[in-house]
Amino acid sequence: MIANAALAEVTAQRRDSIAYTVQQDCGSCHGLTFAGGLGPDLQAERLQSIPDDYLIQVIKHGIPGTPMPPWQRFFNDEEIQWIVTQLKRGSL
Amino acid sequence: MDRDTTEARFPMMRLPMKQALFTVLALLISACAQQPPVMGSGDLGVVIERASGSLQIINTSDHSSLARVTGLGDLSHASVVYSRDARFAYVFGRDGGLTKVDLLKQRIDQRIIQAGNSIGGAISQDGSMIAVSNYEPGGIKVFAADSLQLIADIPALTSTGHYSKTVGLVDAPGNRFVFSLYEGDAIWVLDMSTPANPQLQKFNGVGKGPYDGLITPDGRFYIAGLFGEDGMAMLDLWHPQQGVQRILDGYGKGSEKLPVYKMPHLEGWAISGQQAFFPAIGRHQVLKMNMADWQLGQRITAHGQPVFVMSQPDHRRIWVNFAFPDNDTLQVIDVETARVIHQLTPGKGVLHMEFTPRGEQIWISVRDENRVDIYDTRTLQRIATLPAQAPSGIFFTHRAHQTGL
């Protein structure tokens, strides 16, 4: 339900731009196909067992002591929820 | 054999001799026209088109694209080394693909999938071996450059019994390869001078999280950047018994570490005389170091997190590109004054740059604009542009003859 609400709040144009950034710029560590690189695999299959809340926190605040940076400067809460939903669906 | 049959097979035999010769010559000329023109490869190169798994073979003399070669797999973070005859490009893909591309025939010569996830490679000093650095399973594999047959498999098994991602793989004199273990906090030297009997020398505890490495152009010093610490790990390959030394310890002291949205690259470290310029990590600075005593000379404030810090072949200027979200910009630093003298904004997604062998041009990939821009390094003006699909790495054939590239 939350995911659907978030989907509605992220406009189509913004979605394209976010999807591009996730693919290209998250992809520089996680791979263009999210198969992993210096950063871990972000493919839908692996993410299924990881709670949304955890993934949201990681994207928002990063993981201190690792190369994962915080992304809250670039994406708001709804957008981060949308990214998590799309990654879990394998549709980014 | 009767006369009629011969005539049917070889009708020209009945023509006068002069006419027959002319026909033979015409046939020869048309056969030649179907062969690619004879050409050298010294002004060729490739542009990686990372999203489409293709590359373009380009010519730097006339700014042209000669061909597009497809079917190279996942090329995110792809890199290239060249055979010593500068005819073949070995392309290292993210998906573990190793593809040997023939620049003259403009097609794939051979392609193998050698691992699950890889990060780059190197060619041996004598050109006979290709080493590939793998994330999954972590380690190095060495292949024959001609046949891509496996010669050695070196798993990066750390002292704690875990596999580590390998990074910063370079070639070194004596048919050696040097690389770092990202989780293993180590630098390993692989001696392949006797291919049937690879020798491995391990240097442990070099510092937390080596993320990339480089070798100086003379092949003497290997330096690994550390993600987890302010400093770098240096190995003098002339005197490996001295062990790995820490240099530039605490270079970021006194300033808070900023988030890094793309890891810097150390390859092509800008070394200009006794001065070396390289990207700070987590700081919007280019650092200048004196190579005579390995001391930090100067911090040059930059536009963002530097990714590539590259010296023009004449060593007079340094060109710098930046991580997301500042990746639309390039800065040019004057070596003598250590000042930023020029800033340009080619467009979003400036991922890589490459100088022509003697440095009169710099080619710049502008990913989000689907363009490769060519600048005159003297006037700093754009002189040409080529269309390309989401271009990333640009690699010219003169790399064939440079240690560490």
Side-chain angles (χ1 to χ4, degrees), chain B residues 77-98:
Chain B
H77 212 291
S79 62
V80 170
V81 299
Y82 285 98
S83 61
R84 65 191 273 139
D85 61 6
R87 173 174 173 178
F88 296 100
Y90 296 89
V91 184
F92 308 99
R94 174 45 68 75
D95 56 3
L98 167 57

Short mmCIF file of all heavy atoms in Angstrom, two decimals, chain B residues 77-98:
data_model
loop_
_atom_site.label_atom_id
_atom_site.label_comp_id
_atom_site.label_asym_id
_atom_site.label_seq_id
_atom_site.Cartn_x
_atom_site.Cartn_y
_atom_site.Cartn_z
N HIS B 77 32.08 -0.26 -16.41
CA HIS B 77 33.42 -0.24 -15.86
C HIS B 77 34.41 -1.05 -16.71
O HIS B 77 35.38 -1.61 -16.20
CB HIS B 77 33.42 -0.80 -14.43
CG HIS B 77 34.45 -0.17 -13.55
ND1 HIS B 77 35.79 -0.37 -13.73
CD2 HIS B 77 34.33 0.69 -12.52
CE1 HIS B 77 36.44 0.34 -12.82
NE2 HIS B 77 35.59 0.99 -12.08
N ALA B 78 34.17 -1.11 -18.01
CA ALA B 78 35.06 -1.89 -18.86
C ALA B 78 36.40 -1.17 -19.05
O ALA B 78 36.46 0.05 -19.04
CB ALA B 78 34.42 -2.11 -20.22
N SER B 79 37.46 -1.95 -19.20
CA SER B 79 38.75 -1.36 -19.53
C SER B 79 39.44 -2.20 -20.59
O SER B 79 38.99 -3.31 -20.91
CB SER B 79 39.62 -1.20 -18.28
OG SER B 79 39.88 -2.45 -17.71
N VAL B 80 40.53 -1.65 -21.14
CA VAL B 80 41.15 -2.24 -22.33
C VAL B 80 42.67 -2.21 -22.18
O VAL B 80 43.22 -1.22 -21.69
CB VAL B 80 40.74 -1.41 -23.59
CG1 VAL B 80 41.53 -1.82 -24.81
CG2 VAL B 80 39.24 -1.55 -23.85
N VAL B 81 43.34 -3.28 -22.60
CA VAL B 81 44.78 -3.22 -22.84
C VAL B 81 45.03 -3.68 -24.28
O VAL B 81 44.16 -4.31 -24.89
CB VAL B 81 45.62 -4.07 -21.85
CG1 VAL B 81 45.42 -3.61 -20.41
CG2 VAL B 81 45.33 -5.56 -21.99
N TYR B 82 46.21 -3.33 -24.80
CA TYR B 82 46.52 -3.66 -26.20
C TYR B 82 47.66 -4.65 -26.32
O TYR B 82 48.61 -4.63 -25.52
CB TYR B 82 46.89 -2.38 -26.96
CG TYR B 82 45.69 -1.52 -27.27
CD1 TYR B 82 45.36 -0.44 -26.47
CD2 TYR B 82 44.85 -1.83 -28.34
CE1 TYR B 82 44.23 0.34 -26.74
CE2 TYR B 82 43.73 -1.07 -28.61
CZ TYR B 82 43.43 0.01 -27.82
OH TYR B 82 42.31 0.76 -28.08
N SER B 83 47.57 -5.47 -27.36
CA SER B 83 48.68 -6.35 -27.71
C SER B 83 49.87 -5.50 -28.12
O SER B 83 49.71 -4.36 -28.54
CB SER B 83 48.28 -7.28 -28.86
OG SER B 83 47.94 -6.52 -30.00
N ARG B 84 51.08 -6.06 -28.02
CA ARG B 84 52.26 -5.22 -28.29
C ARG B 84 52.38 -4.81 -29.75
O ARG B 84 53.08 -3.85 -30.08
CB ARG B 84 53.54 -5.86 -27.76
CG ARG B 84 53.90 -7.15 -28.44
CD ARG B 84 55.01 -7.85 -27.69
NE ARG B 84 56.34 -7.44 -28.08
CZ ARG B 84 57.35 -7.23 -27.23
NH1 ARG B 84 57.17 -7.34 -25.94
NH2 ARG B 84 58.52 -6.90 -27.67
N ASP B 85 51.69 -5.53 -30.66
CA ASP B 85 51.67 -5.07 -32.06
C ASP B 85 50.55 -4.04 -32.29
O ASP B 85 50.36 -3.60 -33.41
CB ASP B 85 51.54 -6.26 -33.02
CG ASP B 85 50.26 -7.06 -32.83
OD1 ASP B 85 49.39 -6.63 -32.04
OD2 ASP B 85 50.11 -8.11 -33.48
N ALA B 86 49.85 -3.71 -31.21
CA ALA B 86 48.80 -2.69 -31.24
C ALA B 86 47.71 -3.00 -32.26
O ALA B 86 47.07 -2.11 -32.80
CB ALA B 86 49.38 -1.30 -31.47
N ARG B 87 47.52 -4.29 -32.52
CA ARG B 87 46.46 -4.67 -33.44
C ARG B 87 45.21 -5.14 -32.68
O ARG B 87 44.09 -4.94 -33.12
CB ARG B 87 46.94 -5.81 -34.34
CG ARG B 87 45.84 -6.39 -35.20
CD ARG B 87 46.38 -7.42 -36.18
NE ARG B 87 45.27 -8.08 -36.86
CZ ARG B 87 45.43 -9.00 -37.79
NH1 ARG B 87 46.64 -9.38 -38.14
NH2 ARG B 87 44.39 -9.56 -38.36
N PHE B 88 45.43 -5.80 -31.53
CA PHE B 88 44.31 -6.38 -30.80
C PHE B 88 44.04 -5.61 -29.50
O PHE B 88 44.96 -5.30 -28.75
CB PHE B 88 44.60 -7.84 -30.44
CG PHE B 88 44.73 -8.73 -31.65
CD1 PHE B 88 45.98 -9.09 -32.12
CD2 PHE B 88 43.61 -9.18 -32.32
CE1 PHE B 88 46.12 -9.91 -33.25
CE2 PHE B 88 43.72 -9.99 -33.45
CZ PHE B 88 44.98 -10.36 -33.91
N ALA B 89 42.76 -5.35 -29.25
CA ALA B 89 42.33 -4.75 -27.99
C ALA B 89 41.74 -5.87 -27.14
O ALA B 89 40.89 -6.63 -27.61
CB ALA B 89 41.28 -3.68 -28.24
N TYR B 90 42.22 -6.01 -25.91
CA TYR B 90 41.63 -6.97 -24.97
C TYR B 90 40.68 -6.18 -24.07
O TYR B 90 41.12 -5.27 -23.36
CB TYR B 90 42.72 -7.63 -24.13
CG TYR B 90 43.67 -8.47 -24.95
CD1 TYR B 90 44.82 -7.93 -25.51
CD2 TYR B 90 43.40 -9.83 -25.17
CE1 TYR B 90 45.68 -8.69 -26.27
CE2 TYR B 90 44.27 -10.60 -25.94
CZ TYR B 90 45.41 -10.02 -26.48
OH TYR B 90 46.27 -10.78 -27.24
N VAL B 91 39.40 -6.53 -24.14
CA VAL B 91 38.38 -5.77 -23.42
C VAL B 91 37.92 -6.58 -22.21
O VAL B 91 37.50 -7.73 -22.36
CB VAL B 91 37.18 -5.47 -24.35
CG1 VAL B 91 36.16 -4.60 -23.63
CG2 VAL B 91 37.65 -4.80 -25.63
N PHE B 92 38.03 -5.96 -21.04
CA PHE B 92 37.62 -6.62 -19.80
C PHE B 92 36.25 -6.10 -19.41
O PHE B 92 36.09 -4.92 -19.09
CB PHE B 92 38.64 -6.33 -18.69
CG PHE B 92 40.06 -6.64 -19.09
CD1 PHE B 92 40.91 -5.64 -19.52
CD2 PHE B 92 40.51 -7.95 -19.08
CE1 PHE B 92 42.22 -5.92 -19.91
CE2 PHE B 92 41.81 -8.25 -19.48
CZ PHE B 92 42.66 -7.24 -19.88
N GLY B 93 35.25 -6.97 -19.44
CA GLY B 93 33.87 -6.56 -19.13
C GLY B 93 33.52 -6.89 -17.69
O GLY B 93 34.19 -7.70 -17.03
N ARG B 94 32.48 -6.26 -17.20
CA ARG B 94 32.03 -6.49 -15.83
C ARG B 94 31.52 -7.92 -15.62
O ARG B 94 31.62 -8.50 -14.54
CB ARG B 94 30.93 -5.46 -15.52
CG ARG B 94 30.21 -5.60 -14.21
CD ARG B 94 31.09 -5.84 -13.05
NE ARG B 94 31.97 -4.81 -12.61
CZ ARG B 94 31.65 -3.71 -11.94
NH1 ARG B 94 30.42 -3.44 -11.67
NH2 ARG B 94 32.55 -2.88 -11.52
N ASP B 95 30.97 -8.52 -16.68
CA ASP B 95 30.36 -9.85 -16.54
C ASP B 95 31.38 -10.98 -16.62
O ASP B 95 31.02 -12.14 -16.79
CB ASP B 95 29.29 -10.04 -17.63
CG ASP B 95 29.84 -9.82 -19.04
OD1 ASP B 95 31.07 -9.58 -19.17
OD2 ASP B 95 29.06 -9.90 -19.99
N GLY B 96 32.67 -10.65 -16.49
CA GLY B 96 33.69 -11.69 -16.55
C GLY B 96 34.12 -12.00 -17.97
O GLY B 96 34.93 -12.89 -18.20
N GLY B 97 33.58 -11.25 -18.94
CA GLY B 97 33.95 -11.46 -20.33
C GLY B 97 35.34 -10.91 -20.62
O GLY B 97 35.70 -9.85 -20.14
N LEU B 98 36.12 -11.68 -21.39
CA LEU B 98 37.40 -11.20 -21.90
C LEU B 98 37.31 -11.33 -23.42
O LEU B 98 37.18 -12.44 -23.94
CB LEU B 98 38.56 -12.05 -21.34
CG LEU B 98 39.93 -11.88 -22.01
CD1 LEU B 98 40.41 -10.44 -21.98
CD2 LEU B 98 40.97 -12.79 -21.34
#
